Amino acid sequence: MSLMNNLSTSMISSSSSTFLAPTSFNSSRTQSVSVPLKSINIVKCVATPQEQQNAYKTKVSRNANIAKLQAGYLFPEVARRRAAHLLKYPNAQVISLGIGDTTEPIPDVITSAMAKRSHALSTLEGYSGYGAEQGEKALRAALASTFYRNLGIEDDDIFVSDGAKCDISRLQVVFGSNVTMAVQDPSYPAYVDSSVIMGQTGQFQKDVEKFGNIEYMRCTPENGFFPDLSKVARTDIIFFCSPNNPTGAAATREQLTRLVKFAKDNGSIIVYDSAYAMYMSDDNPRSIFEIPGAKEVAIETASFSKYAGFTGVRLGWTVVPKQLLFSDGFPVAKDFNRIVCTCFNGASNIAQAGGLACLSPEGLEAMQEVIGFYKENTKIIVETFNSLGFKVYGGKNAPYVWVHFPGRSSWDVFSEILEKTHIVTTPGSGFGPGGEGFIRVSAFGHRENVLEACRRFKQLYN
Amino acid sequence: MYYSQFLTRVCMPHAVLLQPKESWNSSKSNDEIIVGHCTKVPRNSNLEKLRSGYLFPEISRHESEHLRENPDASLIRLGIGDTTQPIPDAITLAMAEQVRGLSTIQGYRGYGAEQGNMALRKAIAGKFYQDMGIKANEIFVSDGAQCDISRLQMLLGSNVTVAVQDPSFPAYIDSSVVVGQAGELEEETGKYGNIIYMNCGPENDFFPDLSTIPRTDIIFLCSPNNPTGHAASWQQLKQLVEFAKANGSIIVHDSAYAAYIRDGSPRSIFAIPGAKEVAIEISSFSKFAGFTGVRLGWTVVPEELLYSDGFPVIKDFNRIVCTCFNGASNIAQAGGLACLSTDGYQDLCKVIDYYMENAKILVDGFTSLGWKVYGGKNAPYIWVHFPGMSSWNVFAEILKKTNIVTVPGRGFGPAGEEYIRVSAFGQRQNILEALRRLNSFL
């Protein structure tokens, strides 16, 4: 997210942060909510304690589920720290390898399709109003043939969206509050946070840094970042991301086969996040549906964000196979369709035109080039940390490098790196207790920035 | 919009043959029964409560069926409120420019603020909330009001009670059911348990008689109203704000059609003093700018709006927006900014005038046929009364005999029975043709 946007938005997100404050924000409102920054006050309290007491309050109870959340969502928190740092060092050349935000321009073949669609909206023949909530037919067909050819996934199993993050929440709305879920630990924070909001979880347990009622599947170097399923309790839903954000680990065919079997034996549903599938270098499955039997146990979510630089354009998709059934035999796809029709109104038609262009032969080639560029960045970062003697994971099948700082608090390392090299990374503990002791370094960035960042890392850690 | 057909299946281990349910059995064959694995994941009981598909895909489905049976029919769509007029050049040019910028180093943008581009938030504040004390940081840009309604429901959670107008835009009730605020659907009344339905009809000037309404936590109010077309007066909104204040309730005010107001009625709930402490406002570029497919809207959550424990609602809404959403498309937002420029806004007013001229023609047309017509003056919807008749039957008859798609009032709630909603979006010649056909038929 751009700095300028965050200076103002940080006023909101910062006051819900507890990353710097030792106590939970949910405690008494008479406590000051400003964050103890040494620099200029970028935090604006919504009301002073005195005003609070006299202010009119409605009689509507706050949603107790949201109150369970401990702090702001991870990435706005990282952005806030970055903004604070820039205020402290206005001349610093801050390099952002934190939030996984794409930086390279979108290839022409894709933007020209979107420009064409934009212009067409000004003509009688080209104007279109509401589109199908599930997405434009041509795009759904192109997605099916590009990513799911020969896997038995049909056009109408695919639901186009404004991105995987939104789809995760919509899936949670489908599932409701009476399901249990398992996540990898560490994992992309939206799975846990959306679960808390939906009311699937218990309270946050400070001692273990976990929410009650969620099964955390530890992923470590020791288990090859694939959970030991024999130790995992049955849950209704299993969130699994491969290639993984943040560890970069890519599950093998053998591992995914075990996962599918586990889900089948337990009657569980896997929500498989394949947002980074095109970054895969090794010969691992790119879609869960490559595993026989997966259609009866899995949903797959994906995104154009990291393939086409569509982080701001907003386009993704979710596959819900017809064969996926609830315990009473009701097809999950029908409920998902209902949610899509009721809680959503389709992805932007301009973004969809771009998506279709992405899947043309020229578009695919262009996307591969950009992905290749970020993969080269990743290689440079991996080599740098390796040369400095760090234990480095990931980076081969994903644009993330997972660096081990044994025995250290990841927020401390994050702060140290930021303070001493002006580089923003992401602290591993933001992804769950299993991320403690690790730092995630994103490989998105202009080449010269990545090279400069590596120079600074070398200086700091030599 | 399309409604997918699915095959029924039988679960192998349980060998349960499913009773065909009205709700998801399509009119197509449900003979194919396939043996397959059932997970052990229970279906969300809230979704089970919903009795049929969402209203507008259902209308689409009827439309498609009709076309299948009458392939040569020249259909006139006055059903789903879908805009038809091209977007003014100035706006699409801005979007195309933004798009082209994305292919350059200087113009490329990745993730935007989830709350929206500050320039756009400021422009919205300046254009619509001038002198109302609403600040840019209280405005959250979205991909449309329908999505915002659901995000607000996620925010509020299952333990709140809601009141809706009857009739009303179906997303309020449906999202309430989905989130778990509602009880079962009561067959005789056609109402969901635990939701208060505020009757709006000619007898009360389409504004709820608040003296008869019990307290709920949340009150949904849409003005100008979809489907009745009524724009609440200043006095009516003042009453509502006072009611909310006295009850400690939160109003969710849907102002998606504010730009259609012609008679000086308030365009925002925040025109009423004290509203900031009791109301959230949602709005949209869909009907204002023809952005139904482009996807852009906004929600205003004032900083003054507090939960019972004093916690600001805006903070939790921000958390929802940051966790469950990732911002509206930056291309749509560039378009939005152009909509609010002097020229852009002027161009859009002309399109709105065009639709409202359609509305006038329809109002006059139906009136001259002897029907009691409401709305059509401050909104692009005409609410026609067919006393003693089932609205779905009237809908079906009109479709069958004149190939005109409308929306049966019952789809908007039990009090919509006996009414038909006619949209004023469409090409002028189609509107005129529709009236010609209705003349012969009615």
Side-chain angles (χ1 to χ4, degrees), chain B residues 242-256:
Chain B
E242 279 163 3
F243 180 72
K245 184 121 189 213
N247 282 343
S249 308
I250 295 176
I251 299 164
V252 175
H253 185 258
D254 187 343
S255 65

Side-chain angles (χ1 to χ4, degrees), chain B residues 180-209:
Chain B
Q181 296 159 355
E184 294 290 338
L185 181 69
E186 292 150 17
E187 298 286 3
E188 332 84 62
T189 58
K191 299 181 177 181
Y192 286 95
N194 216 38
I195 294 182
I196 297 299
Y197 289 69
M198 307 184 292
N199 200 286
C200 290
E203 64 288 348
N204 58 13
D205 188 29
F206 293 99
F207 194 83
D209 179 357

Side-chain angles (χ1 to χ4, degrees), chain A residues 1-2 5 8-9 12-13 15 25 29 33 44 46 52 55-63 66 69 71-73 76 99-108 111 114-115 118-119 121-124 127 129-134 162 165-166 169 173-176 178-179 193-194 197-198 234 236-237 264-269 296-297 306 309 311-314 322-330 333-335 338-339 341-350 446, chain B residues 1-2 6 9 11 18 24 36-44 47 50 52-54 57 80-89 92-93 95-96 99-100 102-105 108 110-115 117-118 121 135 137 143 146-147 150 154-157 160 174 178 215 217-218 244-250 277-278 287 290 292-295 303-312 314-316 318-320 322-331 427:
Chain A
M1 288 172 284
S2 83
N5 288 332
S8 40
T9 58
I12 304 293
S13 59
S15 41
F25 179 70
R29 284 290 300 158
V33 296
K44 183 179 145 216
V46 170
Q52 242 9 83
Y56 168 80
K57 304 191 240 293
T58 66
K59 292 197 185 110
V60 181
S61 306
R62 186 182 178 209
N63 183 342
I66 302 181
L69 292 168
Y73 188 61
I99 293 161
D101 196 7
T102 48
T103 54
E104 300 313 287
I106 299 174
D108 277 329
T111 49
M114 294 198 284
S118 303
H119 287 301
L121 292 171
S122 276
T123 67
L124 263 171
Y127 179 77
Y130 285 118
E133 296 93 336
Q134 306 83 355
D162 62 327
K165 190 185 199 192
C166 318
S169 282
V173 172
V174 171
F175 297 137
N178 286 335
V179 294
D193 285 17
S194 61
I197 289 169
M198 274 315 295
R234 182 202 173 270
D236 293 306
I237 314 295
K264 184 124 187 211
D265 292 344
N266 281 345
S268 308
I269 295 177
E296 296 175 319
V297 302
K306 308 297 160 65
T311 38
V313 174
R314 307 309 315 148
K322 298 180 182 66
Q323 296 88 334
L324 188 67
L325 311 175
F326 285 116
S327 57
D328 66 354
F330 195 86
K334 284 202 171 180
D335 276 351
R338 185 46 150 107
I339 294 299
C341 290
T342 307
C343 307
F344 185 53
N345 229 332
S348 178
N349 48 17
I350 300 170
H446 298 321
Chain B
M1 295 187 284
Y2 305 95
F6 294 102
R9 291 165 195 275
C11 292
L18 299 165
W24 49 272
H37 164 82
C38 276
T39 65
K40 292 196 187 114
V41 181
R43 189 183 172 206
N44 183 344
L47 295 182
L50 291 168
S52 53
Y54 188 58
I80 294 160
D82 196 6
T83 46
T84 54
Q85 299 314 102
I87 298 172
D89 277 327
T92 53
L93 266 162
M95 293 198 285
V99 163
R100 278 186 263 267
L102 294 173
S103 276
T104 68
I105 299 210
Y108 179 74
Y111 284 118
E114 296 94 334
Q115 305 84 354
N117 295 339
M118 193 35 99
R121 295 164 85 188
K135 306 189 283 295
N137 70 301
D143 61 328
Q146 183 153 292
C147 319
S150 283
M154 283 193 76
L155 164 77
L156 297 166
V160 295
D174 284 18
V178 163
R215 181 197 177 277
D217 293 305
I218 314 299
K245 184 121 189 213
N247 282 343
S249 308
I250 295 176
E277 295 175 321
V278 301
K287 309 297 160 67
T292 38
V294 175
R295 310 306 318 146
E303 286 172 339
E304 291 91 329
L305 187 65
L306 309 177
Y307 285 115
S308 55
D309 66 354
F311 195 84
I314 193 175
K315 287 191 177 191
D316 277 354
N318 185 66
R319 188 42 149 110
I320 294 288
C322 288
T323 308
C324 308
F325 186 54
N326 229 333
S329 177
N330 54 19
I331 302 164
Q427 295 300 311

